[in-house]
Amino acid sequence: MADEEDIILRDLSDSELIEQMHDDLYDGLAEEIHEGTTILLERGWDANLILSDALVEGMRIVGIDFRDGILFVPEVLQCADAMKSGMGLLRPILADSDTNSSVGTYVIGTVKGDIHDIGKNLVGMMLEGAGFEVIDLGINNPVENYLEAIDKHKPSILGMSALLTTTMPYMGVVIEELDKRGILKELPVMVGGAPLNQEFADAINAHTYGRDAAMSAELAKTIVGRNI
Ligand code: B1M
């Protein structure tokens, strides 16, 4: 990024900077998002607020134009990279747990056919902040990956993320398989992602529906008995 842009960002008021960051995220400018996030942190902004007001809100705007055919996949990929450059700075803060020992192990992954990972990564960060050891399986996970991870890590909770209406039914496939193998009665499953709701989670027999990252971390603590 040019120094000139640096100076401009620093000269902006908080609200102007937030708006500029929405524009920069839209334009996929990773360095500018990194810089904007740094400035807000230096000004004492809470990491959660930077996440919601600057980054998630910016991505919401991107989503509208993506839906309307104004932005296309290559552009939105750049937006995602820009978002991740800001998240990278917030990660150590959000994931900084005040508990020394792990409250439990949480295996999380995006389901088969789905490559969206920003929301999943956020949930993972919040879980780490809540004291969980997070095993992240990444994206595009078939049922075998979840089974293997359950066998290997013996998690307290299994989490699945899906961002597409075409991939969310696959969560039901995984849950059915867990049920068939007698795992479901012992392993709480949390599902989440923008197209989901409680009704869908109930319909596929998921233990819990996580609406957003912060709520999911709270729910996870409740499940392992750390919120009571
Ligand atoms: Co995609 N995409 N995308 N995309 N994309 C959506 C989801 C879409 C709604 C855009 C739109 O049309 N408005 C639409 C889905 C429509 C539908 O299913 N009905 C869509 C589409 C259609 C597609 C493609 C099919 C486009 C194409 O190729 N023609 C394609 C599919 C690829 C695939 O997966 N097979 C595709 C591709 C992509 C990119 C690769 C370009 C990129 C992803 C990059 C990446 O993730 N690394 C991308 C992006 C960025 C989006 C939007 C714009 C943003 C998603 C996001 O990161 N949001 C999205 C539009 C939108 O959602 N507004 C869109 C920010 C994030 C913080 O929120 O992920 O919702 P979210 O996570 C939240 C909660 O949902 C929750 O907590 C998070 C934090 O609060 N949560 C959980 C999520 N997982 C959870 C798990 C939990 C608990 C809570 O427990 C385990």
Side-chain angles (χ1 to χ4, degrees):
M1 179 176 52
D3 285 343
E4 202 181 84
E5 178 75 10
D6 247 356
I7 294 159
I8 294 169
L9 286 184
R10 287 192 180 279
D11 283 350
L12 299 176
S13 70
D14 286 5
S15 58
E16 287 168 337
L17 179 56
I18 293 285
E19 253 183 62
Q20 183 60 45
M21 285 175 75
H22 295 164
D23 290 348
D24 289 344
L25 191 78
Y26 190 97
D27 293 333
L29 302 175
E31 286 184 35
E32 281 75 357
I33 290 299
H34 191 274
E35 179 70 12
T37 306
T38 307
I39 295 169
L40 289 174
L41 284 171
E42 284 168 7
R43 288 182 187 173
W45 271 59
D46 176 70
N48 281 296
L49 211 58
I50 300 175
L51 191 63
S52 61
D53 291 14
L55 303 182
V56 173
E57 175 57 17
M59 195 49 105
R60 189 188 67 79
I61 299 166
V62 168
I64 295 169
D65 279 4
F66 190 29
R67 179 197 62 203
D68 295 343
I70 298 163
L71 289 175
F72 296 97
V73 170
E75 289 146 343
V76 178
L77 268 174
Q78 276 186 304
C79 302
D81 280 350
M83 171 117 185
K84 284 181 180 178
S85 77
M87 279 167 63
L89 280 175
L90 301 179
R91 187 190 166 90
I93 302 165
L94 294 174
D96 187 21
S97 166
D98 35 39
T99 45
N100 288 327
S101 59
S102 165
V103 302
T105 303
Y106 191 116
V107 165
I108 189 167
T110 302
V111 294
K112 185 175 160 185
D114 200 321
I115 62 169
H116 295 85
D117 68 352
I118 294 173
K120 167 188 70 62
N121 294 348
L122 272 181
V123 174
M125 280 183 204
M126 296 287 185
L127 287 167
E128 282 177 9
F132 283 87
E133 186 191 346
V134 177
I135 312 291
D136 188 344
L137 306 181
I139 54 174
N140 195 20
N141 284 288
V143 64
E144 293 79 16
N145 290 9
Y146 292 109
L147 292 172
E148 201 180 305
I150 291 165
D151 195 39
K152 185 168 172 201
H153 301 287
K154 314 271 181 282
S156 344
I157 306 175
L158 173 71
M160 288 186 280
S161 178
L163 262 286
L164 299 171
T165 45
T166 48
T167 57
M168 57 191 246
Y170 193 75
M171 294 171 155
V173 174
V174 177
I175 289 177
E176 252 180 50
E177 190 58 36
L178 295 180
D179 197 16
K180 257 193 238 157
R181 291 170 185 248
I183 301 171
L184 192 61
K185 55 182 187 307
E186 274 152 25
L187 178 64
V189 175
M190 184 185 293
V191 292
L196 276 72
N197 55 30
Q198 185 64 54
E199 210 183 345
F200 175 77
D202 293 342
I204 60 167
N205 231 351
H207 186 281
T208 325
Y209 161 61
R211 196 190 56 230
D212 58 40
M215 183 191 175
S216 302
E218 287 305 312
L219 281 170
K221 280 199 284 180
T222 305
I223 291 172
V224 296
R226 292 301 183 105
N227 238 2
I228 303 160

